[in-house]
Amino acid sequence: MAADHTKILFVWLSFIVPFIFTKLAEADNYIVQMDLSAKPKAFSGQQSWYLATLASLSANWRANTNATIPSSKLIYTYNHVIQGFSASLTPAELEALKNAPGYVSSIRDRTVKVDTTHSFKFLGLNSSTGAWPVSNFGKDVIIGVIDTGVWPESGSFNDNGMTDVPSKWKGGCENGTQFNSSLCNKKLIGARSFNKGLIAHNPNITISMNSPRDTEGHGTHTSTTAAGTYVQDASYFGYAMGTARGMAPGARVAMYKALWEEGAYTTDIIAAIDQAITDGVDVLSMSLGLDELELYEDPIAIATFAAIEKNIFVSTSAGNEGPDVETLHNGTPWVLTVAAGTMDREFGATLTLGNKGSVDGLALFPGNFSASQFPIVFDACEKASELRKLGQKIVVCQDPGKEGSLNDQFNSVQVAGNAAGVFITNNSDVEVFIQGPFPAMFLEQKDGDTVLDYIKRNIDPKASMEFKKTFLGTKPSPTVTSYTSRGPSYSCPSVLKPDIMAPGDLVLAAWPPNLGVARVNEDLLFSSFNLLSGTSMACPHATGVAALLKGAYPYWSPAAIRSALMTTSDLIDNTGSPIKDTGDNLRPASPLAMGAGHINPNKALDPGLIYDATVEDYVNLLCGLNFTAEQIKTITKSSNNCSNPALDLNYPSFIAFFNDRDAKRNSKTVKEFQRTVTNVGEGSSTYKATVTPINGVKVTVEPDQLVFKEKNDKKNFKLSVEAPSQLDEAVSFGYLTWEDIGGKHVVRSPIVATSYSIEK
């Protein structure tokens, strides 16, 4: 047998050598699932079997066609995320592979999207009470981050006072370009890089930094948001001054660099996840995703299923394609999908109007600005040539509110080179402008009217501007950002997504000091901290809070942790009103925008009840989606008899579709949901159900009272949603609340009734 094996490899080598430096244009990378039970005993391991299988493809092709083609190229062998490998294959080789013994399925490699200090206080975390001390600040929980790499010298990775690396850790730090394994420490305990898939797509590519070192900043920012340690006097050029720290400052960080300046591919990302599982991470954080794929076509969904099987919590970003609905990615039922919200903090400047008072506005100009007074004038701000004639004056512009008008005015003042610009606008989304390269501030209309009145009433009006202001207590907050992607989920519409909202707007975290963060005129500025926005920033907030719960309850399942985060989240902003949606004209935010609500770490520590789910429950869901046996096996890696298919996953939220366009007038439809809740509070308790009224929808709960005799006791209930078969409203929503009678627990779940129809 060994001789036969050697002969196979010799044949393989005889075909690859003549063509080692060539690659057909039509070749592409594929992730291939194999059935390990089909592996011949002659092969000592998976990789030798895969190599021989790939070698036989080229040998057979040449024998049958006399064509000159290169041999297939193995990229990765995977151990956990799938039973299989990735390889560069021509269409003909792929077709031949489908007939090979043990072949299950294949998925084409794809590119992925990256979803790009005060927040810990905004979330109520403090050193003396609540989630931080109870979880010991996430001590020894290991957070794996799949991202662009890390800047290990950052102060946010200092390990002062940290104990030895947990013995369960099996990972390591690799050497590479400008990166030595000695740069890791008791805080940053792992750093690896993955780019074989990227190189296979472009064999002639030059990797600028072939190591775990971060050349884009994204990975350094997200990892320190999740678990950065304490850094005093951190700021962005004086904005957001204070002590920076992550959500779980006691947790350990392992970086898996799979996103590169040169590109990012799923073959590398799932190789990183595979390694993270081997290394022993407790929590995975991924601020990236793929759009509009079925679960069995999504390598990230498939890989994270393997992580859940190992009891690893997975946190992902919802995407930045809002405010449109059905734009969300990572709608995978076994991961946490995080939307982005604002904080009660704004950055700005103060405009002092001579000796007649002052107004505050939004600004983020990082440069130095004279404290002297300048003449201040009002102008239409339409032509840079006219503005240039005004010289060194503060120019005030009134935005007419037309599409692109603020952008046009901003560009005109920038080109003109006036002393500064003051823009009066009703546009609530000015973040892209406040980070501009010249002194500028943005005023609401009422403050703008004060400025215009001052100019009008004075013969020689003068004003001064002071930048680098940080205003706390901004109201209303939080709000849902306009850019955060909305549900329903394309890949699994029966599970309401996103799950939760976390701070994502202008988040301060560590940054590589050799990467520019801003411009002042033509000068590039550098900083060790940067302010970034996106669901990329919201995701690691939730990751860090999940790590705190993992530290407090190490044996809780990922579903239990997700449930605790969701059912204890906040619906009310700091004005006492429902959280509003910036992308929906500040109307009350729908669960399709913010999930169950805004994350609340301290409440999540004591949820009262949880909605748990097992791997078997997820398999039943896949069966309920009417996937084929092969498609299910692609995700689960094993055969399933689908004896109990169920779209109704035991999830802490509800979504019902009423979109029957052929329904008779006034016809009604009832959707039923079965749920099981587990008492994780101490001792016996009784919970009473209430449902907020939903316009045009009737919701009932049976039973409406649950009596738990002891901790870990489980109870079942049924929730029914009755509505017109074709709902008039696009989205109607409310909440089911289980309240502990005479106790302190409030367990809340969103209910959505929608007429949306997911087009596939």
Side-chain angles (χ1 to χ4, degrees), residues 379-389 408-409 412-413 416:
D379 192 90
C381 303
E382 293 177 347
K383 295 182 179 179
S385 57
E386 295 299 316
L387 287 166
R388 197 174 285 116
K389 296 174 184 177
D408 292 341
Q409 290 183 336
S412 294
V413 176

Side-chain angles (χ1 to χ4, degrees), residues 520-540:
V520 173
N521 299 319
E522 298 303 316
D523 296 328
L524 194 59
L525 302 186
F526 301 87
S527 172
S528 295
F529 286 84
N530 198 4
L531 292 165
L532 295 182
S533 297
T535 54
S536 274
M537 285 61 251
C539 170

Side-chain angles (χ1 to χ4, degrees), residues 419-435:
V422 177
F423 300 90
I424 305 167
T425 181
N426 289 318
N427 189 333
S428 59
D429 193 6
V430 297
E431 183 180 321
V432 67
F433 298 110
I434 64 173
Q435 300 185 70

Side-chain angles (χ1 to χ4, degrees), residues 307-548:
I308 296 301
E309 288 182 303
K310 299 291 186 180
N311 213 37
I312 298 169
F313 185 90
V314 182
S315 178
T316 66
S317 51
N320 299 337
E321 303 300 323
D324 292 341
V325 296
E326 300 177 36
T327 53
L328 169 144
H329 57 212
N330 294 317
T332 307
W334 42 85
V335 306
L336 185 75
T337 312
V338 188
T342 64
M343 287 184 271
D344 66 339
R345 174 186 71 184
E346 289 182 336
F347 305 116
T350 299
L351 178 68
T352 301
L353 306 170
N355 58 0
K356 300 294 177 68
S358 63
V359 294
D360 295 328
L362 298 178
L364 205 53
F365 178 64
N368 297 318
F369 189 75
S370 172
S372 303
Q373 288 191 337
F374 291 87
I376 184 168
V377 298
F378 176 70
D379 192 90
C381 303
E382 293 177 347
K383 295 182 179 179
S385 57
E386 295 299 316
L387 287 166
R388 197 174 285 116
K389 296 174 184 177
L390 298 175
Q392 289 301 295
K393 296 179 180 179
I394 297 174
V395 178
V396 180
C397 311
Q398 173 71 63
D399 176 18
K402 299 177 183 177
E403 185 175 354
S405 56
L406 181 60
N407 184 67
D408 292 341
Q409 290 183 336
F410 184 84
N411 289 336
S412 294
V413 176
Q414 179 178 346
V415 170
N418 303 114
V422 177
F423 300 90
I424 305 167
T425 181
N426 289 318
N427 189 333
S428 59
D429 193 6
V430 297
E431 183 180 321
V432 67
F433 298 110
I434 64 173
Q435 300 185 70
F438 71 97
M441 66 184 295
F442 296 80
L443 301 177
E444 295 179 350
Q445 191 62 54
K446 62 181 179 61
D447 292 324
D449 290 341
T450 299
V451 175
L452 295 177
D453 185 64
Y454 169 73
I455 294 173
K456 183 178 179 180
R457 291 176 179 273
N458 288 271
I459 299 173
D460 184 24
K462 287 185 170 61
S464 61
M465 298 174 74
E466 184 181 358
F467 289 92
K468 303 184 180 179
K469 298 273 191 173
T470 301
F471 307 118
L472 301 180
T474 303
K475 295 181 179 181
S477 69
T479 61
V480 180
T481 63
S482 61
Y483 56 75
T484 192
S485 293
R486 270 70 169 167
S489 163
Y490 177 90
S491 60
C492 190
S494 61
V495 174
L496 176 58
K497 291 283 183 171
D499 294 312
I500 203 160
M501 182 172 77
D505 226 32
L506 292 174
V507 173
L508 183 76
W511 190 257
N514 67 337
L515 296 182
V517 296
R519 285 188 181 277
V520 173
N521 299 319
E522 298 303 316
D523 296 328
L524 194 59
L525 302 186
F526 301 87
S527 172
S528 295
F529 286 84
N530 198 4
L531 292 165
L532 295 182
S533 297
T535 54
S536 274
M537 285 61 251
C539 170
H541 275 94
T543 301
V545 177
L548 296 179

Side-chain angles (χ1 to χ4, degrees), residues 19 24 61-62 65-70:
F19 315 112
L24 290 184
W61 173 257
R62 177 167 176 140
T65 66
N66 294 318
T68 303
I69 73 166

